[in-house]
Amino acid sequence: MSTQEHAPPPSPEPATAPQTSRGAPRSPLWPPLRALLLRLHFYAGVLVAPFIAVAALTGLLYAFTPQLEQWLYADQLHVEDQGQPLPVSMQVEAARQAHPEGSLTAVRIGGPEDSTRVLFAVDGLEEGVRSSVFVDPYTADVLGTLEVYGTSGALPVRTWISMLHRHLHLGEVGRLYSELAASWLWVVALGGVVLWLGRSRTGARVRRALLPERSASGRGSTLSWHGSAGLWLLVGVLALGATGLTWSAYAGQNIGTVRQALNWQTPSLDAEIFEEGHHGG
């Protein structure tokens, strides 16, 4: 009678650490950390999303303000080149007659086809706003008067767009919101990077992080595009947040103090020269 041979039962495999379905073992701290980052990324994103939209649109519009100014205020900004201009003291005197109540703060001389801007501090204007008298440098005719803002002498259209970009024309409340959003923008951006790069992947990891997965569909496709686009835009988003802080209420004030300490201020006019010429003449 023949006998049947039976294979011995397989020996049990050694226990291994639990693994994710697509990668290496995870730290036990990762799940709660991921949950916290997800909540911060979502709720902070809801907070800063309006700021990003307004900042992007108004920033793009602000980039075209030089062309808008040249078009809207052509009569005040440009003159016909007539050779040798008159002395600056005569141009300042013509502007002073148009604004005798103002205190001279600056004179800006342009090119051969540009008018001369004579800036005065006038009581009743908002902080940072001055009255700019535009004078024809060849005839000393006053071409007009406009209110300008800041050390750069921004004309009204640029000032309006700038204030929309800075605080949505909401005053101090808008500035505080802008500062809060610019501060949390870094949390949103960097937290999103950690979440995106923290996903376990096998093979082509770098490509999947930088490029959206074309084979994904539905929510997976949206998440893939969101993560890849966010990674590419990271540097620009961080720069947007940093520049937003320079325009804010508290951080901007501290940055202004640093600029003053490093002497990064716009050169100002010594008005005493023209005051002496005015009284002496």
Side-chain angles (χ1 to χ4, degrees), residues 1-6:
M1 188 173 83
S2 63
T3 61
Q4 295 181 351
E5 296 182 357
H6 298 278

Side-chain angles (χ1 to χ4, degrees), residues 9-196:
S11 59
E13 296 181 357
T16 58
Q19 295 186 358
T20 61
S21 59
R22 293 188 296 170
R26 287 290 188 179
S27 167
L29 296 178
W30 173 245
L33 177 61
R34 181 177 181 276
L36 175 62
L37 288 175
L38 276 173
R39 282 165 176 77
L40 284 176
H41 188 70
F42 175 77
Y43 290 113
V46 171
L47 170 69
V48 305
F51 166 76
I52 296 175
V54 173
L57 293 176
T58 57
L60 179 63
L61 186 60
Y62 189 85
F64 292 98
T65 51
Q67 291 80 3
L68 285 174
E69 289 180 337
Q70 296 296 319
W71 176 61
L72 290 173
Y73 309 114
D75 293 339
Q76 291 81 28
L77 296 176
H78 302 298
V79 298
E80 183 180 351
D81 186 356
Q82 300 182 34
Q84 184 66 27
L86 297 173
V88 176
S89 58
M90 293 183 61
Q91 301 177 47
V92 172
E93 180 60 26
R96 190 189 303 279
Q97 292 179 5
H99 261 291
E101 76 284 1
S103 175
L104 180 66
T105 60
V107 176
R108 296 186 176 179
I109 301 173
E113 297 182 351
D114 296 326
S115 61
T116 299
R117 302 189 192 188
V118 184
L119 281 73
F120 295 94
V122 180
D123 294 338
L125 294 180
E126 297 181 4
E127 183 180 359
V129 178
R130 292 174 293 176
S131 181
S132 177
V133 181
F134 297 84
V135 180
D136 189 324
Y138 304 104
T139 64
D141 292 335
V142 174
L143 305 176
T145 303
L146 294 171
E147 293 182 0
V148 299
Y149 178 80
T151 57
S152 63
L155 297 176
V157 63
R158 178 150 53 114
T159 301
W160 190 89
I161 296 173
S162 173
M163 294 305 173
L164 180 63
H165 185 77
R166 179 179 296 188
H167 53 57
L168 307 177
H169 290 286
L170 297 176
E172 191 65 18
V173 174
R175 291 192 69 187
L176 291 175
Y177 166 71
S178 175
E179 181 165 7
L180 182 64
S183 302
W184 277 91
L185 185 57
W186 284 53
V187 177
V188 174
L190 296 178
V193 170
V194 173
L195 287 170
W196 183 241

